[in-house]
Amino acid sequence: MQRSATTRYPILLVHGLFGFERIGHFELFHDVKDALKTADCRVFVPHLSATHDNEVRGKQLLTQIDSVLRGTGARKVNLIGHSQGALAARYAAALAPHAVASVTSVSGPNHGSELADFLRKALVPGRLPEVVAQNVATVFADFLSLLSGSTTLPQNALAALNALTTEGVGDFNDRFPQGLPGTWGGHGPEQVNGVRYYSWSGVLPAIGLATLDPMQGACRALSQYFMTEGEQNDGFVGRFSSHLGQVIRSDYPLDHLSSLRRSAGKVTGQFDPIDLYVEHAARLRAVNL
């Protein structure tokens, strides 16, 4: 693995739905951040609403990009967004391309999530199930915010769900198409308005020792709700739905959560997803980003 991958611009790791920077001693991006720092990268994790739509979270990200630029003296930042974090990163880059050197989508639902479609249909608008689901999810998000110290950020679970459906992301893409492929399953433009776009993602690995990880078991259970990409998804996002810009690879043996952490059941010689982030930092460095 590359030992020194110092990028020209700082890296911001942008979390997705129900994400956070730190709760107590637990950091969501702990493995990724440590690996990047070991490779001599400057790394920051912005505070965004755990549940809200892409534009609200994107505006929050823009504010924190400004803070990083002021604090470091850098002219731009590299954004690496996991899951819904990719959409917030895309929004920020579309509105402030002068401040963003690159956007990298990791397991991002860039064309929507079939799981979100299923959940949206399961909730009857305006009736008890929708109200109960929104209240439970918002209370959970508020609890995460309280634990992480980000109590001032707004939460809206229903807005988040609507923003992740195929229809919701389709509307978002109409307004912010930068980096999107012109054909389903293809690559998108690698550079738009001076911003480079990249993506990588995975599909559920074959059943084996890796299934010792309970999170992978949950992703495997959720994958049954995919129709279009029934055999090609990570439990939350379909393989081709994740494509953006230069597609590094979209079939790594990774479930949705394993793309930002090492699996609990990891065995010697098993694929390590954290290496991908350091390799990508070296890739950014190679193009002077």
Side-chain angles (χ1 to χ4, degrees):
M1 183 172 66
Q2 179 80 23
R3 285 301 175 190
S4 180
T6 310
T7 55
R8 178 181 180 185
Y9 302 116
I11 293 174
L12 272 65
L13 301 172
V14 188
H15 68 74
L17 184 68
F18 291 120
F20 52 87
E21 179 188 10
R22 175 194 295 270
I23 292 180
H25 295 293
F26 180 77
E27 296 177 85
L28 184 66
F29 285 106
H30 173 77
D31 293 339
V32 177
K33 191 164 70 171
D34 274 7
L36 289 173
K37 285 186 173 181
T38 299
D40 300 323
C41 296
R42 291 174 292 173
V43 186
F44 300 87
V45 181
H47 297 282
L48 304 183
S49 293
T51 59
H52 223 302
D53 64 41
N54 305 317
E55 288 86 345
V56 167
R57 301 179 81 247
K59 290 173 184 175
Q60 294 169 356
L61 179 57
L62 282 170
T63 298
Q64 296 188 52
I65 288 173
D66 287 341
S67 297
V68 170
L69 296 181
R70 288 195 304 270
T72 63
R75 292 177 47 247
K76 298 182 179 184
V77 296
N78 292 302
L79 301 176
I80 300 180
H82 178 262
S83 193
Q84 192 188 11
L87 301 177
R90 287 175 50 196
Y91 176 92
L95 267 65
H98 61 280
V100 178
S102 69
V103 169
T104 302
S105 167
V106 178
S107 305
N110 292 303
H111 297 272
S113 167
E114 291 187 70
L115 177 61
D117 291 345
F118 173 81
L119 293 174
R120 178 66 271 185
K121 290 176 182 177
L123 301 176
V124 181
R127 296 186 181 179
L128 184 60
E130 180 184 63
V131 174
V132 171
Q134 177 171 354
N135 288 343
V136 169
T138 299
V139 167
F140 180 61
D142 287 339
F143 178 64
L144 289 178
S145 296
L146 178 64
L147 293 178
S148 64
S150 303
T151 56
T152 60
L153 295 175
Q155 309 294 339
N156 190 324
L158 190 57
L161 176 59
N162 289 335
L164 291 171
T165 62
T166 302
E167 181 179 1
V169 177
D171 291 341
F172 178 84
N173 287 346
D174 288 342
R175 288 172 287 135
F176 311 107
Q178 293 85 347
L180 290 174
T183 57
W184 180 251
H187 291 244
E190 295 181 12
Q191 190 166 358
V192 182
N193 296 332
V195 180
R196 287 184 177 266
Y197 288 85
Y198 304 89
S199 63
W200 79 73
S201 60
V203 296
L204 287 166
I207 296 176
L209 289 176
T211 55
L212 292 173
D213 185 348
M215 292 299 181
Q216 186 179 121
C219 289
R220 197 171 296 280
L222 293 172
S223 71
Q224 67 180 300
Y225 299 109
F226 285 73
M227 299 300 166
T228 302
E229 298 193 82
E231 300 298 322
Q232 296 283 306
N233 67 80
D234 64 9
F236 283 74
V237 176
R239 173 185 178 182
F240 295 137
S241 180
S242 72
H243 283 199
L244 182 77
Q246 178 185 344
V247 181
I248 297 163
R249 184 175 164 183
S250 59
D251 63 346
Y252 286 113
L254 295 171
D255 64 67
H256 191 70
L257 301 176
S258 291
S259 57
L260 56 73
R261 59 188 254 287
R262 293 186 173 98
S263 298
K266 189 178 187 301
V267 295
T268 303
Q270 186 177 314
F271 176 76
D272 188 347
I274 305 306
D275 288 349
L276 298 177
Y277 291 86
V278 180
E279 290 170 5
H280 189 55
R283 185 179 293 111
L284 296 175
R285 177 182 178 175
V287 291
N288 198 31
L289 299 183

